[in-house]
Amino acid sequence: MSVPVRHFDAVIVGAGGAGMRAALQLSEAGLKTAVLSKVFPTRSHTVAAQGGVSASLGNSEPDHWHWHMYDTVKGSDWLGDQDAIEFMCREAPKVVVELEHFGMPFDRNADGTIYQRPFGGHMSNFGEKPVRRACAAADRTGHAMLHALYQRNVRANTHFFVEWMALDLIRDAEGRVQGVVAMEMETSDIVVFQAKATLFATGGAGRIYASSTNAFINTGDGLGMAARAGIPLEDMEFWQFHPTGVAGAGVLITEGVRGEGGILRNAQGERFMERYAPNAKDLASRDVVSRAMVTEINEGRGCGPNKDHVLLDITHLDPEVIKSKLPGIREISIKFAGVDPIQAPIPVVPTCHYQMGGIPTNYKGEVVVPKDGDHKAVVPGFYAAGEVACASVHGANRLGTNSLLDLLVFGKSSANSMIEFIKSEPAELPELAMADVERSIARVKRLDEQKNGTNVHEARSAMQRVMQNHCGVFRFKDMLAEGVDKILEVEKMVKRCEIADKSKVFNTARVEALELENLIEVAKATMISANARTESRGAHVRDDAPDTPETPNGRDDKNWLKHTLWHRDGNRLEYKPVNLTPLTVETIALKTRSY
C-alpha cells in the first residue's frame, strides 16, 4: 500500500512541556517543525504537575545550584549521572527566568520576585535544612507552563498535528532515524512524517499500574516505539510512588501541601514521619515517605474502616493560605475524597506517579546506545527529552519539582543539538527506508483482521494487576520471579488482542489496542529489570537485600552501581557504568542516604 509522506526539518512526538520547549527553540531557529500529539497540547499530562519547578533563585533565602545538585544526586541514591545533574541544576535559574519572560504567571513575593516554597528533599548547604526552591504558580504550575509554552509556539508558527498517534520509529539500514509512522485518530489514515531529526517527548507510562496519578494517555508510546526499533530502555525498574494520591481515586495531591506545612498522621493522630526522617520529617524524599506510609498501614496504624490509608492534615493552616496557595488541591479533595481540607484531613495513599528510567540519552538530549564497546555511541537523528528519556538526572528516585525542570532544560538542550545536527545534514532528505513503515502498517492490519482474540480491556487489566501486585512500593524475591512469568503470559494475550469495532472515524478501541502494545513493552522491561537487580536503591526496595555495613539500607554499590539496559530482543539485559564525574565540580562522593 502506498503511504503519503510529509517532510519536515524536525518532528517532535508529544506536546507536553519538553516537546513544546523543544519545538519553540526549533521554530524560532527558522526550522520547519511538526509536533504530533494525541491530545490538544494544553491537555498534555504536564498540565497535572502541581507543586512547582525547582531553581536555586534564592528569592526567599540563600540558595546555590551546587546544593541543588547535591540534593538531586542524593535523591537519586547515587544512580544519577553527575554530568547531566550538574548541567540541569546550573541551567535551572536561566530556564525558569526565561519561562517567566515567556509570560508564565508565577506567584509573587511582596518584592515582586518569583514565589518559592519548600519541597521534599530540597535542602540548603548540602543537606542541612529545608530550603525554598520550588517556583510555583499556586498549585497549578504545570498548567500555567503549558499555556505559556503553547502561546509562544503559536507565535513561532510551529506546525501542530493534534489527535495524531505516532505508531513506529523509522530507521534505515545503518540505524539512522528518519522519522515516524503516524495515524490520524479522526480518520485512521496512516501517514509518514519524514524529518532530518526526530525527538520523542511522549511522557511516562504510569498506566502499567492499576493505581496511578497518570492520565489515560500516559501509555509509554515512545518507549514502545523505541523498543520495537531496537533501542534498549534504561533503568526501567525504578518507578516513583508518590506518597499522596487520594485514597481510592489515585488523583495527585501535590507535595506542595507538605511544603506549605501539611502533616502526615496515622490512626493515632501521630506525626509518624518524625520516626522515619527526624531532620526532614514530612519533606523527606518521596520514596522514603511512601515506604514509611506503607509500613504504618502494614503495621495496623492505617486510617478508615479498612485501615488502608493515612491522613494528610492541613486543618491547622490559615484558610486564606489554603484558598490562595492550594486552591486546586482543595477542589480535588472535595470532589474525589468528599473532604474539605480546611475542616478535615485528606485520606491519602502512595500511588504510581513517575518513571525514572526511559530511552537512554546524554545531557544534550542525544539518544545513546552501546555500539562496539562504546556505551556513549549516539543514534544519528534521534533525540528524547522529559519523562520518556533517561539522561539520567533522576537515577533511582526523582526529587519533587525536578520533573518540570527536566522538561525545560532537556527540551531546550535537545533542540539545540537537533539544530546543530540539521545544519550539518544535506538539504535534501534521503530515500525513505520502507521496512519499518511496512512493519507498522502490518501491525495495524493484524489488529483489524484478528479473529477469536483477547479483549483489550481484559488484557490491560491483567497487566495492571500483575504490576501492582508483583512490582509495587515493596518488592519480594519470589513475587518478582513469579511476576516475570505472569507478565510474559500477559504479553501472549496482548499479541492476540482483538477489536470488535473496525470503523475508521475516531475509533478509540483501535487507539487503546495500539497503546496496550506499547504498555506491555514497558511492563516487561520493568518486571525483568526489577527481578534482576538484587539490591535496594531509591524507589526499588527488595525484602531480600540485607542492611549491613557493606550494603547500607540494602544498597550494594560494589555490584549494582550501574545502569540497567533492557533489550526487547530476547528480553536481554546489559549494564553500563554510572557517570560519577560532573562537568566542572568535584564528584559528590557515595554515602549512606538519610533524611
Side-chain angles (χ1 to χ4, degrees):
M1 115 182 219
S2 69
V3 186
V5 181
R6 302 192 69 152
H7 301 106
F8 291 88
D9 293 318
V11 165
I12 296 171
V13 183
M20 284 211 283
R21 183 62 193 85
L24 181 60
Q25 199 76 356
L26 289 156
S27 293
E28 288 189 340
L31 297 171
K32 190 180 175 192
T33 305
V35 179
L36 278 68
S37 178
K38 292 195 291 188
V39 293
F40 193 78
T42 54
R43 298 282 176 272
S44 300
H45 195 57
T46 305
V47 81
Q50 296 169 349
V53 50
S54 52
S56 53
L57 298 176
N59 287 345
S60 300
E61 55 194 314
D63 201 2
H64 194 277
W65 69 261
H66 204 176
W67 300 347
H68 186 187
M69 178 188 172
Y70 173 85
D71 294 338
T72 302
V73 172
K74 179 182 173 182
S76 81
D77 219 347
W78 275 267
L79 197 76
D81 290 320
Q82 295 192 20
D83 58 339
I85 292 173
E86 180 187 335
F87 178 75
M88 181 178 79
C89 297
R90 285 182 81 120
E91 288 294 307
K94 294 178 217 165
V95 296
V96 167
V97 169
E98 190 174 49
L99 185 64
E100 181 187 26
H101 292 176
F102 290 164
M104 167 94 171
F106 285 110
D107 283 3
R108 301 284 162 186
N109 294 318
D111 62 358
T113 53
I114 293 173
Y115 168 75
Q116 294 181 283
R117 57 165 62 113
F119 232 78
H122 289 283
M123 314 287 271
S124 70
N125 200 22
F126 306 104
E128 209 171 85
K129 64 180 198 300
V131 69
R132 294 173 173 272
R133 189 178 289 148
C135 309
D139 54 1
R140 303 190 181 107
T141 313
H143 181 115
M145 183 167 151
L146 273 191
H147 280 267
L149 287 171
Y150 179 64
Q151 287 161 5
R152 294 294 286 205
N153 270 287
V154 169
R155 178 176 178 250
N157 292 320
T158 300
H159 299 256
F160 284 101
F161 292 83
V162 176
E163 292 177 331
W164 282 74
M165 182 182 182
L167 300 178
D168 280 293
L169 195 61
I170 305 169
R171 299 180 78 183
D172 67 13
E174 278 80 57
R176 294 169 71 90
V177 169
Q178 295 190 321
V180 293
V181 183
M183 181 179 78
E184 186 177 24
M185 290 150 89
E186 184 184 354
T187 59
S188 297
D189 290 346
I190 292 176
V191 176
V192 167
F193 285 77
Q194 188 179 2
K196 294 171 187 171
T198 303
L199 170 72
F200 276 7
T202 54
R207 285 281 150 191
I208 62 169
Y209 285 94
S211 174
S212 172
T213 64
N214 284 204
F216 284 97
I217 53 173
N218 287 26
T219 51
D221 299 340
L223 301 166
M225 289 188 281
R228 284 192 296 275
I231 307 283
L233 303 182
E234 181 177 341
D235 290 342
M236 290 305 297
E237 60 268 48
F238 297 104
W239 285 83
Q240 180 167 89
F241 286 78
H242 196 290
T244 54
V246 174
V251 181
L252 177 67
I253 297 289
T254 176
E255 198 166 310
V257 173
R258 283 170 286 138
E260 296 291 346
I263 293 169
L264 289 164
R265 300 191 188 279
N266 60 20
Q268 279 98 50
E270 178 203 5
R271 184 182 191 175
F272 60 84
M273 280 311 301
E274 290 178 332
R275 285 189 275 116
Y276 298 90
N279 187 16
K281 299 185 179 71
D282 300 86
L283 287 174
S285 204
R286 285 180 179 172
D287 58 327
V288 174
V289 179
S290 285
R291 281 197 295 277
M293 290 168 67
V294 171
T295 303
E296 290 295 302
I297 292 164
N298 289 348
E299 292 180 0
R301 292 186 292 279
C303 306
N306 301 321
K307 294 188 171 298
D308 58 357
H309 59 264
V310 297
L311 296 173
L312 177 57
D313 186 7
I314 53 172
T315 55
H316 54 284
L317 296 185
D318 180 346
E320 288 312 310
V321 170
I322 296 172
K323 287 174 184 173
S324 65
K325 296 286 189 269
L326 303 167
I329 290 307
R330 184 175 179 226
E331 190 182 329
I332 286 169
S333 181
I334 291 168
K335 275 186 181 165
F336 291 97
V339 167
D340 184 344
I342 291 173
Q343 291 159 357
I346 310 166
V348 291
V349 72
T351 307
C352 176
H353 182 57
Y354 189 90
Q355 67 177 44
M356 271 72 75
I359 298 170
T361 69
N362 56 28
Y363 68 86
K364 296 172 183 171
E366 300 166 323
V367 174
V368 290
V369 172
K371 188 178 180 184
D372 305 328
D374 176 15
H375 63 267
K376 296 179 182 173
V378 171
V379 179
F382 192 27
Y383 303 81
E387 191 173 351
V388 72
C390 183
S392 158
V393 282
H394 306 305
N397 172 69
R398 173 174 72 74
L399 284 194
T401 68
N402 270 356
S403 53
L404 289 185
L405 178 62
D406 173 357
L407 307 182
L408 294 173
V409 170
F410 296 106
K412 184 178 178 180
S413 81
S414 57
N416 286 335
S417 302
M418 290 166 81
I419 291 165
E420 269 181 50
F421 179 78
I422 291 165
K423 281 179 182 168
S424 71
E425 286 291 283
E428 291 296 310
L429 283 163
E431 191 179 336
L432 189 66
M434 290 305 292
D436 286 337
V437 179
E438 283 156 13
R439 263 196 295 273
S440 193
I441 292 165
R443 208 158 61 82
V444 178
K445 191 163 180 259
R446 194 280 310 162
L447 192 60
D448 283 343
E449 293 176 356
Q450 179 73 47
K451 297 276 194 297
N452 305 317
T454 321
N455 176 287
V456 172
H457 175 70
E458 283 171 15
R460 185 174 59 234
S461 297
M463 172 194 69
Q464 291 174 335
R465 274 196 307 276
V466 171
M467 294 308 298
Q468 195 76 31
N469 296 338
H470 294 264
C471 207
V473 176
F474 283 105
R475 296 168 178 182
F476 303 90
K477 183 183 178 181
D478 298 343
M479 293 288 278
L480 283 168
E482 196 181 304
V484 171
D485 296 337
K486 285 189 171 180
I487 211 70
L488 294 176
E489 284 302 310
V490 175
E491 184 191 18
K492 291 176 189 167
M493 292 171 69
V494 174
K495 281 182 175 167
R496 296 191 62 256
C497 268
E498 179 186 359
I499 51 172
D501 179 4
K502 315 282 196 215
S503 65
K504 296 287 187 192
V505 177
F506 278 117
N507 185 337
T508 52
R510 183 180 288 113
V511 170
E512 284 178 18
L514 291 165
E515 287 173 333
L516 181 58
E517 291 188 1
N518 294 324
L519 282 169
I520 194 65
E521 300 298 343
V522 181
K524 282 189 302 176
T526 299
M527 193 67 84
I528 289 162
S529 301
N531 183 48
R533 186 175 284 269
T534 55
E535 64 156 0
S536 291
R537 185 185 294 271
H540 173 70
V541 173
R542 291 178 63 121
D543 70 318
D544 59 334
D547 184 1
T548 68
E550 291 77 44
T551 58
N553 302 327
R555 190 180 88 192
D556 181 359
D557 291 327
K558 185 162 165 255
N559 296 306
W560 285 105
L561 186 61
K562 55 189 179 184
H563 295 297
T564 307
L565 291 172
W566 170 84
H567 295 260
R568 179 175 183 259
D569 185 20
N571 291 313
R572 178 171 62 87
L573 295 178
E574 68 173 315
Y575 296 90
K576 68 176 185 180
V578 176
N579 187 346
L580 298 172
T581 311
L583 298 171
T584 64
V585 292
E586 286 186 13
T587 295
I588 292 171
L590 289 158
K591 68 178 201 181
T592 306
R593 185 163 162 260
S594 65
Y595 288 94

